[in-house]
Amino acid sequence: MITSTKRSAPSGQQSEMNNTVGHLTDLQRPVYHFLPPANWLNDPNGLIYWHGVYHLFYQYNPDAPIHHNMHWGHASSIDLVHWTHLPIALAPTDGGPDAGGCWSGCAVDDDGVPTLIYSGNPASSSPGFQVPCLATGDENLLTWTKYANNPLMASPPANLDLLEFRDHCVWKEDGIWYQLIGAGIRDVGGACLLFRSRDLRHWEYMHPLAVGNKDRVIPLWTGTVWECPDFFPLDDQHVLIISAWYQRTTHYPVYMIGAYAAHHFFPKDEGLVDYGSSFYAPQSMVDDQGRRIMFGWLREGWSLDSQRAAGWSGVMSLPRVLSIALNGDLMMVPAPELERLRRDGQQRANIEVHPTTRKVLEDIRGAQLEIVVEWQIHDATVVGLKVRCSPDRTEETVIAYDVQEQRLFVDRTHASLSQEVTGGVQHGRLVLADGEHLKLHIFLDASVIEVFANDRACLSERVYPTRSDSLGIDLFTQGGAATVTHLNTWEMASIWAPCE
Ligand code: FRU
């Protein structure tokens, strides 16, 4: 038997209960979003609710804050908010099919045996062709044993001309296991290939469950390759989430909602899971309350040199609970458990905002805040907030809604005085019904911003203000007036402090 664990714990784990030790002067390091003590994190992997505990595995390089030599990091949580770092779950095996890295995958309960299916990256393979591998765990998910006959498939299905082949979503249906593997079909587009098996170890290729079209741009372009498929029933529909990829330049997750019948998927609606440039490669799990909970990787938006200097790269998003609205939209709300982190709440109501009055919220400041703000829009054309503002406003990030364009946007043009960061405006469509208020639910956590708008649009960004006093908040409108009907704010506690 080949055991996978080369190391007992992530480097820096000594500071398990206080993830900020050694990072106290790091203005950019989040304190209530999950990240390893140091080095590199990307995709969430193997999400599973196991015997009353949430388990989060993740793509992890224990040696440096760069994407290389991928392991599976591991953490667990009882409340979905506070996390405990656990020993590395999977490490590459020299000479094995994953010698070049243990890439993304999923976890399933195989009749009581926790089982991971992941992409082995054979060091010698040409880029793109990873191979499916399997590992089984002990009952606490702490030690993992790789299947002796890995890989589960030596190569992709022979009759397909593929650009890439990796990442797994596995589920059981009528006693049979099914698996999706992400792919790109040359000159066609991204694809999810469907396989079946009786024992999780021997797989038969069926057909593509869904195929994109690389030449189609409306309603949205889905790239040439689909990474990290996630396929699940939600309410009375099925949802397929893929991460659209194109030549290392394009990365965004797309959802499709539709019917699943006779092992074929018929998508009716599709959209972006997140309008920002940061959220990627999401995966979800179901918990004991039947909730579908999704995490995504929040990619960095500053230079590789800055990431090396910081000693860490990559943050996990907050947990998002998914559902489908009556009109068919994908609904995403932050898990209510996050309310446990709220401190020093402040409530205000009925604030009139006009273009000529800049509403500075003098006593609400911070880099770790939760903000719930509801707007009744009168004749304003743009309404929103400026956050992470320096006193002289040389640094500020705009989170706003363009009424005429029906767009939610985050403008990072002046978010940072540093030249090492990505700026620009990210936006996405949000149509408000007649009389519907704009409801922004915003999480600020150092370099992370996550915005949930009206429970059905998300926009996550990374911002890197250079000044320690870039903490202010303004309310503003353009073109006319609006009323803030409610403004609730809280300071947010660290998830590494003992639970209260
Ligand atoms: C997505 C991804 C996956 C791959 C993993 C490697 O971010 O590229 O397709 O398995 O990351 O770390």
Side-chain angles (χ1 to χ4, degrees), residues 42-43 59 67 70 103-104 119 166-167 227-228 280-281 297:
N42 59 297
D43 314 352
Q59 289 284 281
H67 185 265
M70 301 316 299
W103 284 22
S104 285
S119 290
R166 59 167 171 271
D167 308 336
E227 299 186 308
C228 302
Y280 193 62
W297 164 34

Side-chain angles (χ1 to χ4, degrees), residues 360-496:
V360 182
L361 301 172
E362 298 288 358
D363 45 356
I364 304 173
R365 291 159 53 76
Q368 269 81 33
L369 293 177
E370 179 183 351
I371 304 168
V372 178
V373 57
E374 194 167 317
W375 294 84
Q376 184 181 11
I377 301 165
H378 308 305
D379 52 350
T381 53
V382 177
V383 302
L385 298 83
K386 295 179 181 171
V387 300
R388 303 305 309 273
C389 303
S390 60
D392 62 1
R393 269 49 188 175
T394 52
E395 290 190 328
E396 61 180 29
T397 300
V398 180
I399 302 171
Y401 182 69
D402 186 321
V403 184
Q404 284 164 341
E405 299 289 335
Q406 300 183 303
R407 269 185 190 169
L408 173 71
F409 67 92
V410 171
D411 183 349
R412 292 182 294 167
T413 309
H414 301 293
S416 174
L417 294 171
S418 166
Q419 302 299 309
E420 298 288 308
V421 304
T422 315
V425 183
Q426 285 290 135
H427 56 78
R429 196 159 168 76
L430 173 66
V431 178
L432 298 178
D434 272 354
E436 184 180 6
H437 288 188
L438 173 70
K439 188 178 147 209
L440 301 178
H441 195 161
I442 299 167
F443 293 89
L444 307 181
D445 188 7
S447 53
V448 171
I449 294 182
E450 288 192 69
V451 182
F452 296 77
N454 292 60
D455 300 340
R456 59 178 186 269
C458 290
L459 202 167
S460 308
E461 279 301 352
R462 304 297 302 275
V463 293
Y464 305 87
T466 59
R467 295 176 50 154
S468 57
D469 59 356
S470 289
L471 302 171
I473 298 184
D474 297 348
L475 301 171
F476 76 96
T477 64
Q478 287 172 10
T483 305
V484 169
T485 56
H486 301 283
L487 172 68
N488 299 341
T489 59
W490 297 267
E491 293 190 10
M492 293 294 270
S494 164
I495 58 172
W496 307 106

Side-chain angles (χ1 to χ4, degrees), residues 1-5 48 50 57 72 74 88-91 98 106-118 133-150 152 177 199-201:
M1 287 209 289
I2 308 160
T3 50
S4 69
T5 310
I48 192 163
W50 184 263
F57 301 86
W72 277 36
H74 183 194
I88 285 172
L90 295 175
D98 60 9
C106 60
V108 290
D109 178 351
D110 182 14
D111 209 11
V113 180
T115 304
L116 307 179
I117 308 258
Y118 66 99
C133 292
L134 181 146
T136 48
D138 68 278
E139 62 184 11
N140 296 316
L141 280 54
L142 290 177
T143 53
W144 294 89
T145 304
K146 294 182 186 173
Y147 177 49
N149 290 337
N150 278 339
L152 307 178
W177 290 104
D199 63 0
L200 288 174
R201 282 147 182 87

Side-chain angles (χ1 to χ4, degrees), residues 341-361:
L341 298 171
R342 290 174 171 175
R343 304 284 182 273
D344 302 328
Q346 296 196 42
Q347 269 95 48
R348 292 157 198 232
N350 299 323
I351 308 170
E352 301 300 324
V353 189
H354 303 270
T356 47
T357 55
R358 195 181 79 197
K359 289 279 182 203
V360 182
L361 301 172

Side-chain angles (χ1 to χ4, degrees), residues 149-444:
N149 290 337
N150 278 339
L152 307 178
M153 301 172 205
S155 56
N159 58 342
L160 292 172
D161 186 5
L162 299 184
L163 298 170
E164 308 275 340
F165 180 65
R166 59 167 171 271
D167 308 336
H168 314 265
C169 173
V170 177
W171 70 95
K172 202 174 206 176
E173 219 182 289
D174 300 328
I176 306 281
W177 290 104
Y178 291 86
Q179 169 171 205
L180 287 184
I181 299 185
I185 304 177
R186 192 180 306 280
D187 299 329
V188 176
C192 288
L193 308 181
L194 182 64
F195 299 78
R196 70 180 159 200
S197 166
R198 291 203 176 274
D199 63 0
L200 288 174
R201 282 147 182 87
H202 303 90
W203 292 90
E204 176 197 356
Y205 176 56
M206 297 174 71
H207 49 254
L209 183 84
V211 182
N213 174 351
K214 70 173 182 48
D215 299 322
R216 193 206 67 174
V217 289
I218 294 172
L220 48 93
W221 189 57
T222 61
T224 54
V225 170
W226 290 356
E227 299 186 308
C228 302
D230 194 15
F231 185 57
F232 48 85
L234 190 65
D235 299 329
D236 57 354
Q237 313 241 40
H238 263 75
V239 178
L240 175 64
I241 294 181
I242 56 93
S243 286
W245 184 93
Y246 173 70
Q247 290 184 355
R248 298 184 192 283
T249 58
T250 301
H251 300 83
Y252 48 77
V254 172
Y255 71 82
M256 298 164 217
I257 302 180
Y260 172 59
H263 306 117
H264 288 274
F265 179 55
F266 305 94
K268 282 199 309 280
D269 297 310
E270 63 189 61
L272 292 177
V273 178
D274 192 292
Y275 293 140
S277 59
S278 179
F279 187 92
Y280 193 62
Q283 193 181 94
S284 64
M285 65 179 141
V286 177
D287 73 357
D288 61 336
Q289 301 168 48
R291 297 181 304 171
R292 178 59 63 174
I293 299 166
M294 177 176 72
F295 286 88
W297 164 34
L298 298 176
R299 303 161 66 222
E300 297 296 329
W302 59 350
S303 68
L304 292 177
D305 283 348
S306 306
Q307 294 172 45
R308 277 185 197 276
W312 58 274
S313 176
V315 177
M316 206 53 78
S317 74
L318 296 174
R320 300 179 177 182
V321 180
L322 307 185
S323 59
I324 295 183
L326 288 179
N327 71 353
D329 283 345
L330 184 65
M331 310 277 287
M332 291 168 281
V333 296
E337 284 91 334
L338 294 162
E339 292 173 14
R340 295 188 68 175
L341 298 171
R342 290 174 171 175
R343 304 284 182 273
D344 302 328
Q346 296 196 42
Q347 269 95 48
R348 292 157 198 232
N350 299 323
I351 308 170
E352 301 300 324
V353 189
H354 303 270
T356 47
T357 55
R358 195 181 79 197
K359 289 279 182 203
V360 182
L361 301 172
E362 298 288 358
D363 45 356
I364 304 173
R365 291 159 53 76
Q368 269 81 33
L369 293 177
E370 179 183 351
I371 304 168
V372 178
V373 57
E374 194 167 317
W375 294 84
Q376 184 181 11
I377 301 165
H378 308 305
D379 52 350
T381 53
V382 177
V383 302
L385 298 83
K386 295 179 181 171
V387 300
R388 303 305 309 273
C389 303
S390 60
D392 62 1
R393 269 49 188 175
T394 52
E395 290 190 328
E396 61 180 29
T397 300
V398 180
I399 302 171
Y401 182 69
D402 186 321
V403 184
Q404 284 164 341
E405 299 289 335
Q406 300 183 303
R407 269 185 190 169
L408 173 71
F409 67 92
V410 171
D411 183 349
R412 292 182 294 167
T413 309
H414 301 293
S416 174
L417 294 171
S418 166
Q419 302 299 309
E420 298 288 308
V421 304
T422 315
V425 183
Q426 285 290 135
H427 56 78
R429 196 159 168 76
L430 173 66
V431 178
L432 298 178
D434 272 354
E436 184 180 6
H437 288 188
L438 173 70
K439 188 178 147 209
L440 301 178
H441 195 161
I442 299 167
F443 293 89
L444 307 181

